[in-house]
Amino acid sequence: MVAVCGTSMTTKCFFVMASLYVLLALSQAEAETTQGSTAILITVDQSGKGDYEKIQDAIDAVPSNNVDLVFIRVKPGVYKEKITVPADKPFITISGTKAVDTIITWNDSGDIFESATFSVLASDFIGRYLTIQNTHGSGGKAVALRVSGDRAAFYVCRILSYQDTILDDTGRHYYNNCYIEGATDFICGNGASFFEKCHLHSISDGGGAITAQRRMSPSEDTGFIFFGCKITSVKTAVLGRPWGVYSRVIFAFTYMPNAILPQGWDNWGHSADQLSSVYYGQYECSGPGAVTSKRVDWARVLTSEEAAPLITKDSIDAKAWIRATPNSFKKKAFSTKN
């Protein structure tokens, strides 16, 4: 739980109650989803001691229109692969043991949808203890992780690139205790996503935007919520800029260093009329970069009442789909002919 400084007792009580509610709801959801859950176990090991030596081969072995929980355990190593989890292969978990020693890496740039090192097109996907990186560097769109499936979750992952690190494209997504690094728009897209206890690190040369959310209409229930996160930066940065004219981003209980520029946000050349539909909010953040007195006039300081429905996993319907690790495993021979 993030420490709250300089707040009233009412706000503290609200935060404690809201946090307990979120944890209770998630625990109940995990209990419901894991009771008796058994997954098919596939092991990837570069030494040849597993079922497959490449991660993509393990994914390819899962049948189309899969209905089983599949747990792909990846042994430590550097996997130089460009990976896709197809839309017709839901219910897959890919898990390392430690993110620092399970590294998936590629070097590509250009089209934002095609450059990704790791593309998740399927629903009900989980990534755990992985490093996913695009080593292209500056000079173009170079996505490390593209998430275009619904109900995807990532736990204790390191996601690294320079521009457009995470293309959080579409669907409901949850990121927990992840380290996310980039310089320009490095969390972008139009997902409905909840980032909890994540570390966002800007490597911008100065003034780079952390987020570029692409909500295009008031009817879209999308946006990025950062809850209990920490920001660090090599030089200066802004919290975001609007890729879409209804862009929605909220930072709550997040530490912001003095590297965050006083204005907080960049207008990306939009007119005053267009900026009136942007929803950029801040609630009970801490650190020298969290001061709101010089924020752009189209940013918001949220009240407890405004923040309450947003800073909970209910905003992404988490109770309906977030699942924990299966409690038992079985082996099953898959045909590679799908």
Side-chain angles (χ1 to χ4, degrees):
M1 186 175 294
V2 177
V4 180
C5 302
T7 57
S8 68
M9 182 60 69
T10 301
T11 302
K12 286 181 179 178
C13 289
F14 162 76
F15 176 46
V16 171
M17 291 176 67
S19 299
L20 289 174
Y21 172 75
V22 170
L23 292 171
L24 181 61
L26 181 56
S27 296
Q28 181 180 0
E30 289 182 343
E32 291 171 352
T33 56
T34 59
Q35 184 176 3
S37 63
T38 300
I40 296 166
L41 178 64
I42 301 174
T43 301
V44 177
D45 188 341
Q46 290 178 323
S47 72
K49 297 179 181 179
D51 300 301
Y52 299 93
E53 295 181 17
K54 293 184 177 180
I55 298 169
Q56 188 65 58
D57 288 345
I59 296 167
D60 291 346
V62 178
S64 296
N65 304 313
N66 173 56
V67 295
D68 295 312
L69 292 179
V70 176
F71 193 95
I72 299 175
R73 179 177 293 158
V74 183
K75 295 292 187 177
V78 177
Y79 294 83
K80 295 182 179 180
E81 300 187 52
K82 190 177 175 75
I83 290 172
T84 298
V85 183
D88 63 352
K89 297 190 179 186
F91 305 114
I92 290 176
T93 294
I94 298 179
S95 178
T97 51
K98 293 181 180 179
V100 293
D101 62 20
T102 311
I103 300 168
I104 302 166
T105 183
W106 199 252
N107 180 341
D108 203 355
S109 67
D111 182 88
I112 193 170
F113 291 99
E114 301 301 326
S115 66
T117 297
F118 196 117
S119 295
V120 178
L121 310 184
S123 64
D124 298 287
F125 175 85
I126 295 177
R128 304 167 74 245
Y129 306 110
L130 303 170
T131 290
I132 302 169
Q133 66 183 22
N134 188 326
T135 60
H136 175 75
S138 61
K141 303 176 182 70
V143 175
L145 173 65
R146 171 189 173 187
V147 191
S148 297
D150 192 22
R151 303 185 299 273
F154 296 85
Y155 299 91
V156 200
C157 289
R158 298 170 68 243
I159 308 164
L160 317 172
S161 187
Y162 189 90
Q163 181 172 336
D164 305 332
T165 302
I166 296 180
L167 175 56
D168 194 80
D169 180 33
T170 183
R172 293 163 291 176
H173 310 142
Y174 176 58
Y175 302 83
N176 180 282
N177 277 286
C178 292
Y179 174 87
I180 306 166
E181 179 180 287
T184 305
D185 306 332
F186 64 93
I187 303 173
C188 61
N190 196 22
S193 299
F194 197 96
F195 297 78
E196 184 169 20
K197 298 179 182 177
C198 291
H199 180 176
L200 318 178
H201 181 61
S202 172
I203 56 173
S204 168
D205 290 335
I210 294 171
T211 68
Q213 208 279 333
R214 203 183 185 183
R215 185 168 173 252
M216 299 296 291
S217 161
S219 64
E220 292 181 299
D221 191 17
T222 62
F224 300 158
I225 298 169
F226 297 89
F227 183 91
C229 295
K230 176 177 72 173
I231 297 171
T232 56
S233 185
V234 172
K235 293 187 178 178
T236 59
V238 293
L239 300 173
R241 56 180 184 167
W243 191 3
V245 294
Y246 285 87
S247 181
R248 179 160 58 186
V249 180
I250 296 160
F251 286 88
F253 301 102
T254 291
Y255 176 83
M256 300 180 182
N258 57 14
I260 298 300
L261 292 171
Q263 65 267 28
W265 309 86
D266 179 83
N267 65 19
W268 210 347
H270 289 296
S271 68
D273 287 343
Q274 291 172 316
L275 293 169
S276 66
S277 57
V278 168
Y279 195 103
Y280 283 164
Q282 189 172 316
Y283 180 71
E284 295 295 339
C285 294
S286 61
V291 176
T292 59
S293 59
K294 295 183 180 180
R295 290 290 193 253
V296 293
D297 58 11
W298 36 275
R300 306 163 186 247
V301 179
L302 302 181
T303 65
S304 295
E305 291 72 22
E306 290 171 327
L310 299 172
I311 59 172
T312 164
K313 298 184 191 72
D314 285 348
S315 63
I316 57 169
D317 301 319
K319 286 185 288 185
W321 61 271
I322 287 182
R323 67 183 189 270
T325 305
N327 55 14
S328 62
F329 298 93
K330 64 182 179 180
K331 301 291 287 186
K332 181 178 180 180
F334 285 131
S335 169
T336 57
K337 296 180 180 179
N338 294 331

